Amino acid sequence: MKAIIPAAGLGTRLRPLTYTRPKPVLRVAGQPIIAHAIHTLVHAGITEIGIVVSDITRAEIQHAVEHLSGVRITLIDQHEQLGLGHAVLTARDWVAQDDFCVYLGDNLFEHGATPFVHAFQQHRPSALIALVEVPDPTAFGVAQLDGTRITRLVEKPKAPPSTLAVAGLYCFTPEIFRMLDGMPASARGEYEITDGIQRLIDAGLHVQGQAVQGWWKDTGRPADLLDANRLLLERLQDDVQGDVTDSRITGRVVIPASARVIRSKIVGPVMLGEGVVIEDAYIGPFTSIGANSVVRGAEVEHSVVDEGAQIEHVSKRLQDCLIGVRAQVRGGRTVPRTHKLTISDASLVELA
């Protein structure tokens, strides 16, 4: 069985972070989002993965995944972004006659892809769709069920037939390609995967829905990245190897051998990357700090700090922050009582 990860889009809802990088390479809990997706697919037994990329996202995606082991990755070019159905159809030649999984790389599941892949392999319907109950399904594909069989599937309906939203994981036989081939575009001008699945249903083929167990997170907005970081850090295992001097470490904390903590306090769960320097600082729970970053004379908690960032001499605690690659946050003479920041890559913010 193979897997497709669509990664050609620009992630406009995450701007300014995605002005310089595609959404799947943004980091949570120390790794690009797409790496978490790949790890969960490998854990489910899928080691052949095709990533659908655009001309804009190809280089960054390739850099994010080139060091991953235990998996064979193929980049598949999608020169026009015409919807998820089009992205899947773009991978048709690569998939060939194999069964395959489509995993949206910005989605995270507490129990990963394994429950869905195993259920599909056991029953082998024409399609198996992950479903999650949501309070407002109008922003999702929505399923109507008869038992576990999906009888109707509609994309972003104004009058949803149920509260069961399509989560970002699908399993298919190659039959789906026949349904997508020649399918008209939707009113949005896109080729919707839900329309292709509805064609399977209309043809009398078995389409199965399976409820998501545990948490599910779509990391489409800045607050979702922070929440995903928190959920993943909940699993953190304590591993302190770096140089810790005149400091206090509490809870589950990862400090690599190349990192240094000097006259500071860290309360886990916290993950530090390689080469990080924490000096005269406080790092609070649910914070991940990327490689070669420096936090000096500052307090940070419930935040994601990416690689090469510098946070220095900030009088008030930084909380609920997303700090981009090589971004700098510097304190001044006076500061407001609180700061909540979403800072793009290579930016500089003077707090005064």
Side-chain angles (χ1 to χ4, degrees):
M1 192 170 181
K2 295 177 179 176
I4 299 169
I5 299 178
L10 299 178
T12 55
R13 291 183 300 166
L14 279 167
R15 287 176 179 170
L17 293 170
T18 52
Y19 274 126
T20 54
R21 291 180 295 158
K23 175 169 59 174
V25 308
L26 298 180
R27 290 177 176 263
V28 290
Q31 294 189 76
I33 299 169
I34 197 169
H36 290 288
I38 291 170
H39 290 319
T40 193
L41 289 168
V42 171
H43 188 262
I46 299 176
T47 58
E48 289 188 71
I49 297 175
I51 304 177
V52 179
V53 297
S54 64
D55 300 338
I56 295 174
T57 65
R58 171 180 259 275
E60 288 279 2
I61 295 294
Q62 184 169 13
H63 178 70
V65 303
E66 62 188 0
H67 302 301
L68 299 179
S69 60
V71 62
R72 296 187 296 278
I73 294 175
T74 302
L75 299 186
I76 302 165
D77 292 305
Q78 183 189 20
H79 298 297
E80 290 184 279
Q81 285 69 67
L82 300 175
L84 181 54
H86 181 260
V88 171
L89 199 55
T90 300
R92 182 177 193 169
D93 290 343
W94 177 79
V95 171
Q97 295 303 309
D98 293 317
D99 293 341
F100 66 102
C101 172
V102 177
Y103 191 111
L104 302 191
D106 58 356
N107 278 231
L108 295 169
F109 297 82
E110 181 175 2
H111 302 299
T114 300
F116 307 100
V117 171
H118 285 182
F120 175 79
Q121 291 173 332
Q122 181 180 357
H123 303 291
R124 203 168 180 269
S126 293
L128 183 143
I129 316 299
L131 300 176
V132 62
E133 192 156 348
V134 296
D136 179 13
T138 56
F140 300 89
V142 180
Q144 188 171 351
L145 292 182
D146 180 6
T148 62
R149 190 180 188 118
I150 297 178
T151 58
R152 184 183 174 207
L153 201 61
V154 288
E155 184 67 26
K156 298 180 173 61
K158 292 182 179 179
S162 77
T163 56
L164 292 172
V166 175
L169 194 150
Y170 313 75
C171 296
F172 294 112
T173 67
E175 184 70 25
I176 188 65
F177 293 121
R178 187 169 65 87
M179 302 299 163
L180 293 171
D181 198 11
M183 184 180 72
S186 69
R188 300 192 305 160
E190 296 188 351
Y191 297 92
E192 313 284 3
I193 193 68
T194 48
D195 290 344
I197 298 167
Q198 185 61 47
R199 284 185 153 198
L200 289 173
I201 296 168
D202 293 342
L205 298 172
H206 184 61
V207 176
Q208 182 176 330
Q210 178 155 322
V212 173
Q213 301 298 319
W215 56 256
W216 164 74
K217 177 56 62 176
D218 176 359
T219 57
R221 299 182 185 276
D224 298 321
L225 287 177
L226 290 171
D227 205 26
N229 187 66
R230 175 186 63 81
L231 291 167
L232 291 170
L233 288 182
E234 288 278 15
R235 306 173 173 178
L236 199 65
Q237 299 296 316
D238 191 59
D239 186 13
V240 177
Q241 299 183 31
D243 183 17
V244 178
T245 304
D246 298 330
S247 299
R248 181 179 175 185
I249 309 298
T250 305
R252 292 167 287 124
V253 177
V254 170
I255 304 176
S258 59
R260 293 183 294 138
V261 179
I262 306 160
R263 297 184 301 277
S264 297
K265 180 178 180 180
I266 300 179
V267 179
V270 166
M271 174 179 285
L272 305 186
E274 297 287 347
V276 166
V277 175
I278 308 296
E279 185 174 357
D280 298 317
Y282 166 79
I283 309 298
F286 304 113
T287 302
S288 58
I289 299 180
N292 303 312
S293 293
V294 175
V295 181
R296 180 178 289 118
E299 300 183 4
V300 183
E301 73 176 13
H302 197 261
S303 296
V304 178
V305 179
D306 218 321
E307 296 183 352
Q310 295 184 36
I311 303 172
E312 298 185 288
H313 309 301
V314 180
S315 299
K316 296 295 182 181
R317 183 171 300 177
L318 300 179
Q319 183 174 310
D320 302 331
C321 297
L322 298 169
I323 311 296
V325 173
R326 299 186 306 280
Q328 301 178 46
V329 183
R330 297 175 181 170
R333 294 181 179 178
T334 61
V335 293
R337 306 190 93 182
T338 62
H339 308 297
K340 183 173 181 179
L341 307 172
T342 300
I343 302 176
S344 185
D345 303 349
S347 58
L348 170 62
V349 175
E350 297 279 358
L351 301 176

